[in-house]
Amino acid sequence: MGYRVAVVGATGNVGREMLDILAERAFPADEVVAVASRRSQGVECSYGEKTLKVKALEHCDFSDIDICLMSAGSAVSKEWSPRIAAQGAVVIDNSSCWRLDPDVPLVVPEVNADAVAGFRKKNIIANPNCSTAQLVVALKPLHDKARIKRVVVATYQSVSGAGKEAMDELFGQTRAIYVTDPIEPKKFPKRIAFNVIPQCDAFMEDGFTREEWKMVAETKKILDPKIKLVATCVRVPVFISHSEAVNIEFEQPISAEEAREVLRNAPGCVVIDRRETGGYVTPFEAAGEDATYISRVREDPTIDNGLVLWVVSDNLRKGAALNAVQIAECLINRKLIEAKRKAA
Ligand SMILES: NC(=O)c1ccc[n+]([C@@H]2O[C@H](COP(=O)([O-])OP(=O)(O)OC[C@H]3O[C@@H](n4cnc5c(N)ncnc54)[C@H](OP(=O)(O)O)[C@@H]3O)[C@@H](O)[C@H]2O)c1
């Protein structure tokens, strides 16, 4: 098949997961190149049973690369994605840098796979924010069935969504509490161990945070600009997987049983909703899994045509790395790209 794939940010939370997922899914790659900052040059990363030596971004030649999976943050993407794209590699970016650019498709393959075809304008495709990805996977089949008017969502976001240093901070603070060491918040604005913080990303003028705004704007771009959405994004002391309490108002009637049936047959969704103690999915159980889990589906008695659900997914997989690899698979399966070099 002969595809050459670069993973930029290979030493990070998302990048490591990308390498694992490429190997797990037997992605048709002849060669995978691990790339990170100069700090990590020569560091070893696992790719299936192989070990890759990390190259520094500045020293990388992308002229032979077909697909570049990018997860090195917005500033790096802003500078490097156009340069890599100009060398003929399709960049699939995980940062927020290109998501709302009208010339860049924002894609969740279960929801709007056809949008990938628009990648040629900039040779860049964007992945949504992790909280948006799992939300739209669950909303899409319900929207097709009963037309969503409005969504109210509260998130319970794991620390891995803020990068590897954020995971270290939760671990370090938890340990410090047990040995009565002082706690000094760095990545998070307040102590995260044994606490919850109603702030993900920076504040905007209207009082919402950027994370909350991203969920609104990205849901509109991916699913339907007519959907009204309001979010409260909260960081919780969980290592992996984001959870969301989602309240949905529809144009047409839809019962909880109909919703469960629709979701059971929807791509990427798994319904676990036994309506008994423990009969739902928690973030711990979703970690390392590909599915978006839906539990606690109920009719909302306070409005006409309303449902309430609980949605959980691994933010590093469906929220980032898995979604990026699925986009790359879409490009290949739809024959939208060809390998630059044929296999030997
Ligand atoms: N975590 C999530 O759930 C999630 C979900 C969706 C999107 N994203 C996005 O994905 C991106 C990465 O997130 P992450 O959680 O993986 O962060 P992370 O764990 O902090 O890793 C960041 C990665 O970027 C690399 N990097 C930093 N500066 C660089 C530079 N100047 N040149 C080349 N590489 C550089 C780092 O390399 P070194 O190790 O050498 O520093 C590391 O590999 C971010 O844009 C984030 O917003 C994350």
Side-chain angles (χ1 to χ4, degrees), residues 67-266:
I67 298 166
C68 175
L69 304 177
M70 193 78 184
S71 68
S74 264
V76 176
S77 182
K78 189 170 182 196
E79 181 186 348
W80 281 90
S81 293
R83 289 160 75 168
I84 296 169
Q87 291 188 60
V90 182
V91 177
I92 302 173
D93 183 46
N94 259 291
S95 80
S96 57
C97 182
W98 305 99
R99 291 179 189 154
L100 299 181
D101 184 320
D103 292 337
V104 172
L106 177 63
V107 178
V108 174
E110 292 88 341
V111 180
N112 65 338
D114 290 347
V116 286
F119 76 93
R120 287 211 171 83
K121 286 186 186 152
K122 285 205 164 132
N123 239 11
I124 300 174
I125 302 172
N127 265 270
N129 177 41
C130 34
S131 321
T132 310
Q134 67 184 65
L135 180 68
V136 293
V137 168
L139 292 184
K140 160 77 174 159
L142 298 172
H143 188 49
D144 289 347
K145 173 83 179 166
R147 308 310 293 171
I148 294 172
K149 276 165 67 175
R150 177 170 178 257
V151 179
V152 181
V153 55
T155 69
Y156 304 72
Q157 299 184 213
S158 68
V159 293
S160 59
K164 57 189 176 185
E165 287 168 17
M167 294 178 87
D168 293 344
E169 185 152 320
L170 172 58
F171 185 85
Q173 286 185 2
T174 307
R175 190 192 149 278
I177 286 163
Y178 281 115
V179 297
T180 61
D181 274 353
I183 286 182
E184 194 195 328
K186 287 190 188 123
K187 274 299 270 191
F188 295 113
K190 298 204 180 203
R191 162 179 148 169
I192 183 66
F194 304 100
N195 201 5
V196 297
I197 303 174
Q199 179 188 353
C200 299
D201 209 334
F203 272 86
M204 302 184 13
E205 262 181 23
D206 60 4
F208 283 94
T209 61
R210 288 189 58 77
E211 187 85 353
E212 290 159 354
W213 172 80
K214 282 182 229 165
M215 289 190 80
V216 177
E218 294 174 16
T219 300
K220 285 178 183 288
K221 181 164 174 179
I222 298 166
L223 188 52
D224 188 338
K226 291 205 271 310
I227 293 177
K228 291 183 188 164
L229 189 146
V230 64
T232 302
C233 292
V234 181
R235 190 73 64 188
V236 295
V238 164
F239 280 107
I240 293 175
S241 299
H242 292 350
S243 309
E244 297 175 346
V246 189
N247 189 299
I248 313 166
E249 185 180 354
F250 296 88
E251 279 174 20
Q252 291 142 29
I254 177 167
S255 69
E257 194 39 53
E258 282 170 323
R260 273 194 288 270
E261 193 52 30
V262 163
L263 290 163
R264 264 188 215 114
N265 295 312

Side-chain angles (χ1 to χ4, degrees), residues 9 11-14 36-37 39-40 71-73 94-95 160 163-164 315-316 319:
T11 52
N13 275 344
V14 174
S37 77
R39 295 178 290 273
S40 306
S71 68
N94 259 291
S95 80
S160 59
K164 57 189 176 185
N315 54 296
L316 299 177

